Amino acid sequence: MTGIVALYIFMLAAFTGYEVIAKVPVILHTPLMSGSNFVHGIVLVGAMVALGAATTPLEKTIGFIGVLLAAGNAVGGYAVTERMLEMFKSSGARKPGAGAGKH
Amino acid sequence: MGEYFNAAGLIQVSYLVTAFLFIMGLKRMSSPVTARSGILWAGAGMLVATLATFLYPGMSNYPLIIIAVAIGGAIAWFSGRRVAMTDMPQMIALYNGMGGGAAAAIAAVELYRGGAMSTTSATLAVVGAIIGAVSFSGSLIAFGKLQGLIRKSLRFGGQQILNLLILAGAIVCAGLIASGYNDSAATITALFVFALVLGLSMTLPIGGADMPVVISLYNALTGLAVAFEGFVLGNAAMIIAGTVVGSAGTLLTQLMARAMNRSLGNVLFSGFGDTGGGAAGTGTVTGSMKPIEASDVGVMMAFAQKVIVVPGYGMAVAQAQHKVWELCQLLIDRGVNVRFAIHPVAGRMPGHMNVLLAEAGVPYDLIADLDEVNSEFETADVALIIGANDVVNPVARNDKSSPIYGMPILNADKAKNVIVIKRGQGAGFSGIENALFYLDNTRMLYGDGQAAVSQLIAAVKAV
């Protein structure tokens, strides 16, 4: 990938990120932050490549920690975002008495 | 098309698919109707990219990779499934910090390996390393503060100058490495030490109330760090996903700061946001607090046309949201128009209270935010305040000497009757006297949140 192509990708992705969430209502701020937190869990693929190319013990150790942390970011981010969004339901989906009296 | 029929081509195509799924996923997550499917789209994208990466040409250390993914993934999965909804903000901070740490680790591996790296690559690697490391240590502090592990906000004179000096140290190391003037292991190590310490010293003085904005900022920074390391590795999926999160996260940070009536500069550099700050403006309140019995409130609500519930974090602490929803369902079944009015800072971060109500089963279309609902209070027969205090204090509208003057509030005082469920007569969380409690149309229902709402349920049933 040449530098200028990378810059094009960077610019277009920056506009995309801004536009995609520009109209998000306040009620979704927390789940959306969690969802975008999950998306940068893609760092996992980079960490895998870095560890895959590591040769010295130092590189392997840091690479291992990198993959461990990245997997935590991706998997944890998914788990909590899914849990939060799973609960968002409209009145149409409400069964009589559902959800009340738990705990 | 023949060039795509090998491992490298398959990886490129997979990353393209991943980028598409991520963007569609985020788009769907920004509307309540499609939000649930959005995370599934994004999740599918992550799976595609991860599996494709195993085909990367010339990779070794497969056992190490698999073990690391398994351990990191398993710990995060079980902690993520078990964490209470009230603790969600600090959990997001923790996972975000891990991402930042991973980006910094990629930079570290690439930098320690040395060898042929162009000046551009080396520059992006070191900048990504600083951002990632700051996000890592800063997010850990944010987690510690919200989790209650770190109770004090460390502040001292000249703190900003010290932070600037640490930043300068990191930049000097970064410059030495990127220019190739001195890229010894010692310099690289010093770079990471400076950056990690900067994350700590930047975050320690910030109070708990401002932490959500900080977490959101670190989320955007991690995205940026991931994008920069993506440049270094020539990995399009990382560049696109990282940049999208970087810009979306920046916008989200601004939206959150605005919703909380704070500016980002204020949050980062002034060390406000410590709850329990100023207790000024206490002398202007006149009148008395008038108590009421649960049975009377029950009758009042049962025969009301419209009831607006104003929940605050206190309700969530008392775990009363399930009872509140049970009460509201009784009222809805009687034909009462029930709405929930959510102030942006009702939870621990904007949108957090919505998650807590959703957990109790409250449909999102009954929940209105500040702008939507404020004109509706005038037509409401009852405003039920539970666990909220400063966000309904009318002094924010009219008392210039009050520390919360100018903060947007819910106009609960405009309702015909205001019922406040409160533990006792003491001043609230911030120490600011609440003029709402003394109004002629306000009655106080004293008691623990959960117990008081249970009494109301019994009272409505008895009507």
Side-chain angles (χ1 to χ4, degrees), chain B residues 103-435:
Chain B
I106 294 172
V109 172
E110 297 298 319
L111 290 171
Y112 280 123
R113 181 185 300 130
M117 207 191 263
S118 71
T119 311
T120 318
S121 276
T123 307
L124 290 170
V126 289
V127 175
I130 295 175
I131 299 175
V134 165
S135 173
F136 174 68
S137 58
S139 294
L140 289 185
I141 297 296
F143 170 80
K145 286 211 170 193
L146 289 181
Q147 189 72 16
L149 301 173
I150 305 167
R151 296 196 179 278
K152 278 179 128 179
S153 296
L154 180 72
R155 278 181 215 146
F156 49 85
Q159 196 160 21
Q160 304 296 351
I161 295 165
L162 179 70
N163 287 353
L164 276 177
L165 286 176
I166 300 170
L167 176 65
I171 290 173
V172 168
C173 292
L176 288 173
I177 297 166
S179 64
Y181 190 75
N182 178 352
D183 53 3
S184 66
T187 316
I188 297 170
T189 308
L191 171 76
F192 283 101
V193 171
F194 276 124
L196 289 170
V197 172
L198 181 63
L200 301 180
S201 67
M202 261 176 67
T203 321
L204 276 171
I206 300 172
D210 278 339
M211 242 356 126
V213 179
V214 176
I215 296 171
S216 181
L217 179 71
Y218 286 146
N219 183 42
L221 286 180
T222 302
L224 212 54
V226 170
F228 286 172
E229 300 313 325
F231 275 111
V232 176
L233 298 173
N235 186 314
M238 282 170 72
I239 301 177
I240 296 174
T243 310
V244 165
V245 173
S247 75
T250 306
L251 175 62
L252 197 55
T253 308
Q254 287 170 344
L255 291 175
M256 277 196 185
R258 201 179 307 153
M260 297 169 70
N261 199 34
R262 308 277 282 125
S263 84
L264 195 54
N266 243 327
V267 170
L268 287 178
F269 304 116
S270 73
F272 269 144
D274 221 6
T275 46
T282 52
T284 54
V285 183
T286 53
S288 62
M289 294 198 211
K290 298 162 278 291
I292 192 169
E293 291 299 318
S295 53
D296 296 332
V297 180
V299 173
M300 188 192 283
M301 292 194 358
F303 291 103
Q305 301 258 310
K306 184 171 184 177
V307 172
I308 299 180
V309 182
V310 182
Y313 195 65
M315 180 197 72
V317 172
Q319 279 294 318
Q321 61 266 44
H322 300 280
K323 288 280 173 203
V324 169
W325 175 228
E326 197 181 332
L327 171 67
C328 291
Q329 281 175 305
L330 283 175
L331 295 173
I332 291 168
D333 291 342
R334 289 185 62 96
V336 180
N337 178 0
V338 177
R339 294 272 265 168
F340 286 83
I342 311 287
H343 191 276
V345 296
R348 274 189 152 172
M349 62 167 71
H352 188 209
M353 181 55 70
N354 304 79
V355 171
L356 297 170
L357 288 177
E359 186 191 19
V362 180
Y364 61 76
D365 48 323
L366 294 188
I367 303 174
D369 63 27
L370 189 121
D371 297 331
E372 288 175 69
V373 82
N374 250 351
S375 57
E376 290 191 28
F377 278 106
E378 284 167 35
T379 58
D381 300 293
V382 180
L384 180 68
I385 319 289
I386 170 161
N389 192 340
D390 290 343
V391 299
V392 288
N393 193 344
V395 303
R397 264 201 318 259
N398 45 35
D399 181 358
K400 286 202 170 116
S401 69
S402 171
I404 60 169
Y405 178 74
M407 180 174 91
I409 57 156
L410 290 163
N411 298 331
D413 53 318
K414 302 267 170 76
K416 290 185 194 100
N417 298 285
V418 180
I419 304 297
V420 179
I421 296 179
K422 202 168 177 301
R423 209 174 259 285
Q425 291 196 340
F429 202 50
S430 63
I432 302 164
E433 201 68 61
N434 194 335

Side-chain angles (χ1 to χ4, degrees), chain A residues 6 14 30 40 51-52 83 89 91, chain B residues 60-61 80-81 83 231 247 350 364:
Chain A
T30 297
H40 67 53
L51 176 55
R83 269 184 68 197
K89 295 194 174 70
S91 292
Chain B
S60 51
N61 301 328
R81 298 308 295 182
V83 60
F231 275 111
S247 75
Y364 61 76

